Amino acid sequence: MYTTDLSGKQQADKIAEDPALVAAFEARVANDDFIEPKDWMPEAYRKTLVRQISQHAHSEIVGMLPEGNWITRAPNLRRKAILLAKVQDEGGHGLYLYCAAETLGTSRQQMIEALHSGKAKYSTIFNYPTLTWADIGAIGWLVDGAAIMNQVPLQRTSYGPYARAMVRICKEESFHQRQGYEIMMALCAGTKDQKRMAQDALDRWWWPSLMMFGPPDDNSPNTAQSIRWRIKRETNDELRQKFVDVTVPQAEAIGLKVPDPALSWNDARGHYDFGDIDWDEFYAVVRGEGLVAKERMTARIQAWEDGAWVREAAQAHAMKREAAKLAAE
Ligand code: 3HC
């Protein structure tokens, strides 16, 4: 991951921080107060937030691509309208999150450049291809389902602008999860081929969805500090377990089989036990070796370049209005 702080912020990082300020900050966090943009905060806290929020924003924007690919091929008008609205929602989430990150002293331009140059991470899940219509159901059900599991606790993250952005995002993600599950329900109640298509999508998306929560806690360099700062409220493994516990009965309810021979209910733990995740695959995708990683970045860069005239026009309009306002004063 990277940090996109302005250079002034990076210099400040090297200056020793006033212990009284640090203590006051930590007391506020411990008291569950929100930290706001103009409040003093340790530089490492700021950097961690920029890293996480910008990664999250990039994930929302790149996440539009696998589903956008199916808008023209949705099976009917109702499905097309719903999918269009969902993909637009994801664009909106990206924008709220870029704005939240900007309040920490980084610019949109810096974040986008970091994404396009390959310096910035985004969620591994979006480097897998969407091969059939059932993949759109599986993404809504599993990917948005995993996103909600991760994001509901973020509504209580310690940084105010991030927490507030998450409130609306979670409401919309909840609708996304339901529309995905409803697609899977319809396919499972359909012909044998449709049910087979749904099972195939579950088989391909299950393990990558579990990887979305990040590396196991004992191999997660950021979790302990982020929990201490109350940026993260639950660890990667805790959230992954919750997701498995909620999702397995949903699969069973529509007659699908989770592709994990080691999956079994553990009465003593009160949770499902599940098989080993292929962490080599996870790290390969993080390194940019995902199946469609190159296509994703090419599409993002193309969209950014194609949109240059819109940004220029908006800027020219803003300057004209500012000039008119000054002239009227
Ligand atoms: N994909 C890509 N990189 C990942 C990753 C994943 N699934 N999981 C972890 N990583 C990266 C981390 O960014 C970190 O990179 P760094 O050390 O170089 O900075 C490294 O792997 C180690 O992981 P950690 O567990 O130590 O990192 P974090 O404490 O930041 O935890 C996280 C990772 C759980 C993803 C956390 O950043 C988080 O909760 N982020 C906010 C939610 C988010 O980004 N969601 C994206 C999902 S998709 C989405 O929301 C779109 C929706 O529409 C479906």
Side-chain angles (χ1 to χ4, degrees):
M1 188 45 95
Y2 67 103
T3 52
T4 48
D5 291 2
L6 299 171
S7 57
K9 299 272 161 31
Q10 281 163 355
Q11 281 163 17
D13 198 21
K14 295 189 188 106
I15 300 167
E17 287 170 338
D18 181 345
L21 286 174
V22 175
F25 166 84
E26 289 191 347
R28 287 189 61 196
V29 169
N31 195 37
D32 272 340
D33 285 354
F34 283 124
I35 304 299
E36 296 297 339
K38 288 187 178 157
D39 295 341
W40 186 88
M41 62 186 84
E43 205 45 39
Y45 175 83
R46 182 191 299 276
K47 284 187 170 173
T48 298
L49 281 169
V50 170
R51 180 182 65 77
Q52 176 165 329
I53 301 172
S54 60
Q55 175 185 353
H56 193 165
H58 298 325
S59 301
E60 300 281 356
I61 298 289
V62 178
M64 297 167 79
L65 296 170
E67 290 174 292
N69 186 36
W70 277 88
I71 290 172
T72 53
R73 290 180 284 157
N76 58 46
L77 188 59
R78 175 174 165 265
R79 295 288 184 198
K80 190 194 284 275
I82 295 171
L83 185 57
L84 198 56
K86 177 185 190 288
V87 173
Q88 282 176 338
D89 284 352
E90 307 295 5
H93 299 173
L95 298 185
Y96 310 149
L97 291 164
Y98 283 129
C99 288
E102 281 176 314
T103 64
L104 291 154
T106 186
S107 74
R108 181 90 55 100
Q109 184 74 23
Q110 284 173 303
M111 290 185 272
I112 298 285
E113 275 168 14
L115 174 68
H116 292 175
S117 69
K119 267 195 280 171
K121 289 192 173 84
Y122 60 89
S123 185
T124 42
I125 195 76
F126 301 118
N127 292 313
Y128 293 84
T130 39
L131 303 180
T132 72
W133 173 251
D135 289 20
I136 300 306
I139 288 182
W141 173 35
L142 302 174
V143 174
D144 291 84
I148 297 171
M149 201 52 88
N150 169 285
Q151 292 170 8
V152 164
L154 291 176
Q155 294 176 108
R156 291 180 297 112
T157 191
S158 56
Y159 187 57
Y162 191 23
R164 289 189 286 276
M166 291 319 302
V167 172
R168 178 155 177 186
I169 291 176
C170 283
K171 284 187 185 147
E172 292 177 350
E173 297 291 10
S174 166
F175 153 73
H176 297 169
Q177 192 272 349
R178 283 171 213 189
Q179 69 84 36
Y181 190 61
E182 201 256 334
I183 292 176
M184 297 304 263
M185 280 171 74
L187 291 172
C188 289
T191 64
K192 266 192 184 151
D193 279 347
Q194 285 172 323
K195 185 154 186 191
R196 203 173 303 131
M197 200 162 83
Q199 181 64 54
D200 170 63
L202 171 59
D203 291 348
R204 283 180 293 105
W205 289 92
W206 176 254
W207 292 106
S209 299
L210 297 194
M211 293 175 196
M212 282 176 71
F213 295 95
D217 293 350
D218 56 9
N219 212 5
S220 161
N222 304 303
T223 291
Q225 182 60 65
S226 289
I227 293 268
R228 220 168 65 76
W229 276 329
R230 303 198 179 178
I231 293 174
K232 284 167 77 161
R233 293 292 189 150
E234 291 175 68
T235 71
N236 300 356
D237 285 334
E238 286 166 356
L239 292 168
R240 192 168 10 247
Q241 180 71 63
K242 274 190 174 177
F243 174 75
V244 172
D245 291 348
V246 164
T247 312
V248 171
Q250 292 171 350
E252 285 167 357
I254 51 175
L256 293 179
K257 191 167 167 9
V258 171
D260 179 358
L263 186 76
S264 67
W265 178 254
N266 182 326
D267 240 345
R269 288 202 313 123
H271 293 292
Y272 282 96
D273 290 333
F274 53 95
D276 292 336
I277 293 172
D278 182 350
W279 292 113
D280 290 342
E281 175 179 324
F282 169 78
Y283 287 113
V285 180
V286 171
R287 283 196 305 271
E289 295 163 23
L291 287 172
V292 287
K294 275 206 185 88
E295 286 90 326
R296 296 288 184 249
M297 238 0 79
T298 305
R300 277 309 320 155
I301 293 168
Q302 184 70 47
W304 181 253
E305 287 171 359
D306 290 349
W309 70 271
V310 179
R311 293 189 297 278
E312 283 159 19
Q315 206 160 14
H317 179 66
M319 283 166 70
K320 231 165 103 178
R321 284 187 63 163
E322 190 60 25
K325 210 172 113 195
L326 283 176
E329 279 171 7

